[in-house]
Every structure is written in structure tokens, then in C-alpha cells.
Amino acid sequence: MAIGAVDSGAADAHAAPAAVISGLDLSQDNRRAPVTGLYDWSKAGYRGGADLPGPAQTNPDAACRITPAELAGLGVKPNDGADDSRGLQAAIDRIRADCSPGGSYTKLSLITLPAGTLNVTRQIAVDADYLTLRGAGSGPGGTRIVFRPDADTRYDALTSDGSDWDEDGMTSGSAKGGWIWPGRGLFRVQSRGVHTAYASEYAAAPANRRDLFEGTVNVHWKSGSKLRDKPGDTGFAARTGDTVVHLAAGGSRSNFQVGGLVNIRAANTLKFYAQQDIQPRDGALQNMHMRQQIFTIAAVDTAGRTLTLDKPLEYDVPVTSVSDGSAPIAGATYDSKAAPLVDPVLGVGFEDLGITHEIPGRDPSEAEQNYGNVAPAEEMHGIVFKWAADSWVRGVKTEMTGSHPIVTEEAYHLQIVDNELDGSWNKGKGGNGYFRGSRVWDSLYAGNVSRDLRHFTFQWSASGNVVIGNDLDSDLNLHGGWERNNLFENNEVAIPYDHRSANCRSNCGEEGGGGPDASTWYPIWWGAGKKAVKWSGSSGPRNVFFNNAMTKQETPGAGYTSYYSEKSRVYQFGWSGTAWKHLDQGGTPVPDWAGRERLIYTGGHGVDAA
């Protein structure tokens, strides 16, 4: 059958994992050299392809190695039914104050968690650089952390119909809940620094609102520098392929340091939207930075007002939302920015532990194959990485997290390997229950098993990531927001018929707030412009699928049929062979992937298989 279509003929239903491989050799020596015509993924993951740390990289100083006995002295005792939150936070705070300043990637602190059950009632801030949190194993006899969020942690602001967390309705002074997007979690790897502009509001905020102001020292509207024209290129600070970005006059340059991290944020323009088959009539177009990427700063020219990045840009950077000749969006001009990460959290690892989220009076069976929200006030995640880099999750098992088991929002060089992620209480309206990579760059997801989640997603400009050797029963989802240059290789994806948005018993819908559709999700989902504009915009160029075992149960009770099964062929989504291309049908861009999953997009229709 033609490339790009579903094969006819039944395959076996999802049996033993064929593609997931625990303990893949992810070392730099086992990485393929760049292939002409494709992206270079050889530096994806921890520290650009370095091995994850072992005993030799742990700080020998006993003061920076907190044992279960020492944790007991802080009140962290397994199986006693008491709240261990305060003691866990105290241990992390001690490392942050006493060890992180002198730590490094070869001098990591270690907190060893005891075997047994630990109870946590509030979000734990993991903002100590160069720290490993290691349990006694994720299975029986290991470390099990039970999260039961208290009244100050659960969301007290829900949408008017009670179906989802209301970020805009959760306020304190000038802050809104969106400031802590993607939301609270059991563990949050993010700075707790508070910008001086918010100090008084932070001090006055109630306990359930204080975190709204934490970490704002990093955000682009406080730390970012505006841009100026590149010489000889009016309206653009840099172009695709450039490594030099031109900064505007004024403002402090002190946060731009060689070896530091910077997010280059390109303003949306009407011309950029039109490229995605999006016009103002298609929805509320937004002044925002859909195109982003974190880079390492290679050089700073203070006198010349330029930054040199460690690798080429993957998108054009207009100076403003109108500098490319576009009219204003919503009557306003929006600036592109170079935003340094002022206080990123570096070198944090989670290893060998189990996580679950319990809700009194609710049974996990309520959420099984239910793509709705069972308990919207409890939409807390498992592990959140925000403004974080060179960190990892290895050997962790999650069961029934409140929403996403692992989620990112501005993260760089992560390694998520050999984990088991099973179930979420909320998989419905607002976009919950994903294995979610949002605004994540140059990261590696390998050897993970995922069950009963809504999607595996890359979205919001995620780029340069590798997904290899995983076993999933949910779709590989290009969710929209110009995600690009991501590689999906050697994964097993077997999608049952019941994996569909209409299979929902309460609080149904999607990330953009719309209702469920009548389709059943296939192993791949692609964000068409007119569909994904409700939350971001179209998927971007050159997301690559290669050598995956993907099957779909197309009707109830049927066998599984193969999907994109020519394993030796490279499928590049959103690519004409030379430039980005929207997927189309007969030359007309598709408005939605749903119901069009079996169309043939090769041969010049948006999927390059040449």
C-alpha cells in the first residue's frame, strides 16, 4: 500500500513490548554521526550526551549525603502515617544552602530516601543544584511517596462549570495562576527566587497563593532584552541558521554570561500565522512567543550588543510582531526578546522511587480509559521541570498522578529514562494527563513504559528531542506551537479503539477548551493550524518518525492494524523536502488531523518520505 497509509490486514493485539528496551546504551560513543539532510540529534539528553552520573560523581563529603537516618532526625520516617513534607523540604533546603554553591556535575549531593511509604501534602521545591534524590526502588519493598495535597495545595479556583483549574481566576495582587503554569506538582524543579518587584505582594499573599510569585526572577518580562535589526536585514534580529542575535540598546547585560542559558523568543506575526493557514477569523490570535529555544551562550559582545549562540537558530526572529510587515495583532506591537535564565536549576536527578496521588473517596477505576477530569481541584503533576537544565528521571514509577506524571516548561538537556508511568486522575478538559514535553529542548526520552495517559506530547516549540525505545498505549502527539526537529525512533505504540476523546465520563474536552470529537486517536497526532490555534498554532517542521512499531485497533474488538509500517523509511512531518509545509488534502491544508489520520500525505502533501 502507498507510503503514509494504514496497512491492511490485522496484527496481533498489544502483547509483550517489542520495542521498549531497558538500559539502552545512550552513551556518546553509541550515537550516530549526523546524517546529511537530517537534524543532528547526537547531543540530546543530559549534558549534551554525557552518561548519567554514578557513584563516582557523588560528593564524598558526608555533609552533602543525607541518609535515611538523618532524614528520620528531620521527621521523615516511613510507614508512620505522619506528614513528611516539612522534613523533605528541610533536607533539600540544607543541601541548597550548604552544598549546591560548591557542587558540580562531578560533585553531586545525595539524599537517600528510606524504603517504605512517605506521605506528602504539599508541593516540594527541588531547587538545590547538583542533587540526586534516590529511593530504595520503585517496586515492592522500595520507596513509595503518597501525595495527598492539602487545602493550600489543591486548586480553589475552578472554571464556572467546575470542570478544570481556572488559571485566570486564581489571583493574588497582580499575579494569576498562569504564572505557575503548567501547575503545581509533587516535586517542582524550579527556582523559588522572588523578583524585587513582587516582594511586597509575595509577603502579603496567603499560603495558597505565595507560589504565584516564586521564580518570577526568571521570566522574560523581567529578565529579557529587546532586539534590534541585524545589519542589512531591516526588521529581523536574526534569521534561521544564524548564531548571532542583535540586542537593542539599553538595559542590563549582566545576566548574559558565556556558558549561561538564554531563551531566544520570536514574536508571533500575522505573516507567521498565515504560513500556518491561520487567519484572524480562525480564532483569537495572540501576542506571544510561539517560537522559542534555549541555547548556551557562546560569546557576548557588550560593545557590539550581540549574543553568539552555541548552535544555529531554527526560526527567523523578527524584532517585533510588526517588523516583518505584518499589521498588529489585537492592536498592539509585541517585542521579541533574548531572555537569560537568571537562576536555572541544574543537575537534579530523581531515581528509584514510586509516586502516587491518592484522593479520599475516589477509586482509580473511575479514571481508567476515561478521558475526562475526575477531580479537577487535584490536577497536580508528579515531577515538574521549569527553568531547569541537565537533569534526569530514572527508574521512577508513577501511579495515578493528578495530571501529568512528568511535565516540562522551559527545560534543556533532560534525560527521562527507564520509567513506568501508569494512569492519571485527570485526562480531560484543559489538557491533562499527558507525558508532556512542552518548551523542552535537546532532551532524551528512552526506555519508558506509559499506560493509560492521554498523550505523549511535544508542544510549544519543543525541538531537538529524541524519543527512543519506549512502549506506549497512547499516541505520539505533535500538539502544536511550532514543535520541530524531534525524532521518534524504535518505539512500540499500540492504540486501542477506546483511546479517544469521546470516551469520557465527566469534564470532557481538550486543551483549547473545546468538546470531544468523534474520532479515535491513532498512533500519531499532528497539530493542524486551524485546530491547534485554540491553544497555540500549527505543528512545525521536520518531526521525524523512523523504525517504530505502531498499530491501531480501528473498531471495537478488532485486531490491530499496522500504521506507517515501512520501518526503514524516514517520515518527516511538516516538510516538503526543502521547507516547512502544512499537511494538505488535494492542495488544501487540512483543518484538523481528526478523521484524516489515514490520508496519504507523502508525495508533496506535507510528509516527506524521500
Side-chain angles (χ1 to χ4, degrees), residues 324-341:
D324 68 348
S326 295
I329 297 171
T333 298
Y334 197 63
D335 296 304
S336 296
K337 288 192 175 181
L341 273 66

Side-chain angles (χ1 to χ4, degrees), residues 2 12 25 37 39 50 126 155 204 220 293 311 316 323 446 474 561 565 593 599:
D12 289 339
D25 179 1
Y39 194 86
V126 189
Y155 297 128
H220 65 94
Q293 188 159 354
K311 66 178 190 175
D316 293 344
S323 64
S474 57
T561 57
S565 62
W593 177 255
L599 297 179

Side-chain angles (χ1 to χ4, degrees), residues 128-382:
D129 293 338
Y130 313 119
L131 169 64
T132 304
L133 277 167
R134 180 177 298 147
S138 62
T143 300
R144 185 172 186 260
I145 300 177
V146 179
F147 191 27
R148 300 183 186 92
D150 62 17
D152 288 333
T153 305
R154 295 191 299 272
Y155 297 128
D156 63 351
L158 301 180
T159 53
S160 58
D161 60 1
S163 63
D164 189 29
W165 170 39
D166 183 4
E167 304 96 272
D168 290 337
M170 183 177 170
T171 62
S172 180
S174 61
K176 292 185 176 182
W179 288 20
I180 60 168
W181 184 259
R184 293 170 176 152
L186 167 58
F187 291 114
R188 189 178 188 89
V189 183
Q190 178 206 296
S191 168
R192 280 180 284 173
V194 177
H195 195 278
T196 54
Y198 302 121
S200 60
E201 290 183 276
Y202 174 74
N208 67 346
R209 293 290 189 273
R210 299 193 81 195
D211 60 335
L212 270 61
F213 300 98
E214 293 177 348
T216 51
V217 68
N218 294 294
V219 296
H220 65 94
W221 58 85
K222 291 296 182 186
S223 70
S225 173
K226 296 180 182 180
L227 308 179
R228 64 181 169 91
D229 293 349
K230 170 185 175 180
D233 194 0
T234 301
F236 289 85
R239 293 281 191 171
T240 302
D242 288 349
T243 57
V244 176
V245 179
H246 297 78
L247 308 178
S252 172
R253 301 281 184 265
S254 62
N255 290 323
F256 296 111
Q257 301 289 334
V258 173
L261 304 179
V262 63
N263 189 341
I264 304 300
R265 301 167 171 261
N268 285 0
T269 72
L270 287 181
K271 288 186 176 180
F272 176 54
Y273 270 125
Q275 183 183 4
Q276 305 166 63
D277 190 42
I278 300 171
Q279 301 296 331
R281 63 179 176 272
D282 295 320
L285 307 193
Q286 300 179 63
N287 280 309
M288 63 178 180
H289 301 120
M290 191 188 306
R291 294 162 292 181
Q292 302 183 21
Q293 188 159 354
I294 291 176
F295 298 88
T296 299
I297 299 174
V300 181
D301 183 344
T302 302
R305 292 183 284 128
T306 64
L307 295 177
T308 301
L309 310 175
D310 66 323
K311 66 178 190 175
L313 279 160
E314 299 173 10
Y315 45 86
D316 293 344
V317 184
V319 174
T320 71
S321 59
V322 300
S323 64
D324 68 348
S326 295
I329 297 171
T333 298
Y334 197 63
D335 296 304
S336 296
K337 288 192 175 181
L341 273 66
V342 176
D343 186 20
V345 179
L346 307 174
V348 168
F350 299 87
E351 298 182 352
D352 302 327
L353 54 91
I355 291 171
T356 191
H357 181 140
E358 290 187 353
I359 303 176
R362 308 307 294 258
D363 190 277
S365 62
E366 298 177 64
E368 187 174 352
Q369 286 293 328
N370 175 9
Y371 298 97
N373 296 328
V374 171
E378 309 249 5
E379 290 174 2
M380 283 80 244
H381 312 302

